[in-house]
Amino acid sequence: MTKRFYVTTPIYYVNGAPHIGHAYTSIAADVLARFKRLDGYDVFFLTGTDEHGQKVEAAARTAGLETQTYTDKISQDFRDMSDAMGVSYDQWIRTTEQRHKESCQALWKRIEATGDIYLGHYEGWYSVRDEAFYDEGELTTNAAGAKIAPTGAPVEWVKEPSYFFRLSAWQDRLLKLYEENPDFIAPSSRKSEVLSFVKGGLHDLSVSRTTFNWGIPVPDAPGHVMYVWLDALTNYITAAGFPDPAAEKWSYWPADAHFVGKDIIRFHAVYWPAFLMSAGIEPPKRISSHGWWVVDGEKMSKSLGNVVEPRALAKTFGLDQIRYFLLREKPFGADGSLNHQAIISRMNVELANDLGNLAQRSLSLIARNCEGKLPGKGPATAEDTALLDAAYALPDLVRAAMDRQTFHEALEDIWKVIRSANAYIDHQAPWALRKTDTVRMAAVLRVLADTIRAVATLLQPFMPDSIGRMLDQLGVAPDQRTFAALAVPLEDGTPLPAPQGVFPRYVEPA
Ligand code: MSP
């Protein structure tokens, strides 16, 4: 049976327009989804929008639109953004869909039946911006003397009847889950953070609200809507067909990786597995969290006017260039700063010079000196073997890095081979061999073509369009681009199309 792989992005709040931070989570998940498909997995890649809660309701009011009309509009904008950024999701979920309401209510009933939900009264701090409850001890005071959440978000005192989830009873079972599944939370810095939070003792969690209506009704409890995070997290099983155990997609559960920003790790690594285990459902296998992007060193904010629109950025620099930059510039788990100079430098040095020139030089020499046909292999020298061995070692190296979500390391492994190939071409100087030893020239060009093919095959998930064109120029048929296909040599004499540069240098508009 084909191996399955289920990967998700967070579902995005529809309280404002999509920005580069949202695009980043989706592109990272997309790269992994594409990688797994090329590696022979049957992939289910889910993304969508989180449409309930006070924050969304307030945004609709500000926009002067009926809430559903407003969420339809913003959800579509997120979907357009995802399409524009090449996010190859298999399903787009919206929490306002009927199937999701049924799924949330079914999950609620299961948890309630175990005794883990009880009716009480909530009195405490709530942040609408974070849609999160905070303990007094977690708060600080801002310059104006107001209490704020650790995220800097304003908080308000709320007092209302509420259903609670008995999270306090789950401490030991959560700690056991982390211990038995050392890869459950990545990276390790986040894991320590979660462990200390859980070890510090867990309070029961308020899971319903009565002061607004924009949510999923709690079954048999008029006036109560579900806490938006219980509703939102459930999307991951709704999409897999919950509560129908016979659903075609249910076999993908448990998810292999939930991609999340560091700000929402607690919801995914603590609340979500507790809800699921309480309902007798297997928890996901991994929560992979990433750091935040700031812009020119500043946090993105509407008031600073520095919010980066992903489609605009792709228009300026190219989509594949932006996808590459986002995954290359900083380690996945760390924070990073986005600025145009850094993008241009990656484009010109790594894409145009290192990779683009390597392909263009090699392919033009083949076009001019081998009648535009892929030359056959010659007797291998030590240098040939060293380069090809490094290229063929890449799938295993890159696979291991992708499984850790260390995308920048995967790219660095690939770039080591690209740099070696550039050193090889300079040293072998096939342009000089043309006059002295055409047989050796052909052999050198074949080594280069094979190396570029291996590199390009692995780079497809990062830059699907540009690399697709590079593989066209190498004469690799579209159905021969999987990692397994690398084991089958390209056919000698394959006619190659006229080479065309794939990665142009960025030139500042005059
Ligand atoms: N709706 C919740 C998620 C529910 S998942 C069951 C939510 N939505 S969000 O729209 O606010 O954020 C979605 C994702 O975007 C999060 O993973 C968050 O970390 C990410 N980012 C938002 N701003 C970001 C940056 N500036 N940089 C990187 N990612 C950031 O949270």
Side-chain angles (χ1 to χ4, degrees), residues 56-124:
V56 169
E57 192 183 54
R61 207 176 307 122
T62 309
L65 291 174
E66 195 260 318
T67 319
Q68 187 66 57
T69 313
Y70 172 79
T71 61
D72 289 348
K73 183 171 157 241
I74 309 280
S75 176
Q76 188 58 47
D77 194 26
F78 269 92
R79 192 167 178 160
D80 293 345
M81 182 278 283
S82 304
D83 293 337
M85 302 310 283
V87 179
S88 62
Y89 54 86
D90 297 298
Q91 203 185 105
W92 182 268
I93 191 165
R94 301 184 54 190
T95 55
T96 49
E97 291 175 57
Q98 177 63 21
R99 61 170 177 154
H100 181 64
K101 177 176 164 189
E102 286 163 16
S103 161
C104 286
Q105 292 182 334
L107 182 70
W108 180 285
K109 283 190 188 150
R110 280 215 203 171
I111 299 176
E112 197 174 35
T114 66
D116 273 339
I117 285 182
Y118 63 92
L119 184 60
H121 203 92
Y122 181 77
E123 187 167 358

Side-chain angles (χ1 to χ4, degrees), residues 350-415:
E350 289 163 13
L351 296 180
N353 277 1
D354 294 348
L355 176 58
N357 277 351
L358 172 69
Q360 184 63 12
R361 282 206 286 176
S362 310
L363 288 165
S364 319
L365 283 165
I366 295 176
R368 273 189 268 121
N369 304 306
C370 310
E371 298 163 9
K373 291 192 189 123
L374 186 73
K377 275 193 183 37
T381 66
E383 277 117 310
D384 298 354
T385 310
L387 182 60
L388 288 171
D389 283 354
Y392 291 128
L394 277 179
D396 284 345
L397 276 179
V398 173
R399 185 179 293 115
M402 298 298 279
D403 283 340
R404 294 190 301 268
Q405 289 88 57
T406 49
F407 300 101
H408 69 297
E409 285 175 12
L411 289 168
E412 180 52 27
D413 287 335
I414 298 173
W415 247 259

Side-chain angles (χ1 to χ4, degrees), residues 178-307:
Y178 309 144
E179 199 183 309
E180 287 173 357
N181 302 277
D183 295 330
F184 182 65
I185 303 167
S188 54
S189 52
R190 297 287 153 215
K191 182 172 169 179
S192 327
E193 183 186 302
V194 170
L195 279 181
S196 70
F197 173 72
V198 175
K199 282 183 182 157
L202 297 170
H203 300 301
D204 289 351
L205 180 72
S206 165
V207 285
S208 77
R209 305 288 312 274
T210 51
T211 47
F212 65 99
N213 303 318
W214 187 244
I216 293 180
V218 171
D220 312 315
H224 287 263
V225 296
M226 285 183 206
Y227 172 39
V228 67
W229 270 101
L230 172 55
D231 160 348
L233 290 160
T234 305
N235 92 88
Y236 302 130
I237 55 173
T238 303
F242 184 78
D244 177 7
E248 179 250 329
K249 290 246 167 331
W250 189 245
S251 53
Y252 288 92
W253 189 262
D256 294 275
H258 287 321
F259 274 52
V260 301
K262 63 179 184 180
D263 51 319
I264 56 174
I265 187 110
R266 189 184 291 183
F267 303 97
H268 284 83
V270 182
Y271 303 165
W272 182 224
F275 295 151
L276 288 168
M277 289 191 289
S278 168
I281 303 169
E282 250 187 282
K285 293 193 194 141
R286 183 169 172 91
I287 312 296
S288 187
S289 86
H290 64 74
W292 270 46
W293 284 101
V294 295
V295 175
D296 296 321
E298 298 261 21
K299 203 174 163 192
M300 266 187 289
S301 81
K302 278 190 199 149
S303 53
L304 285 174
N306 64 348
V307 177

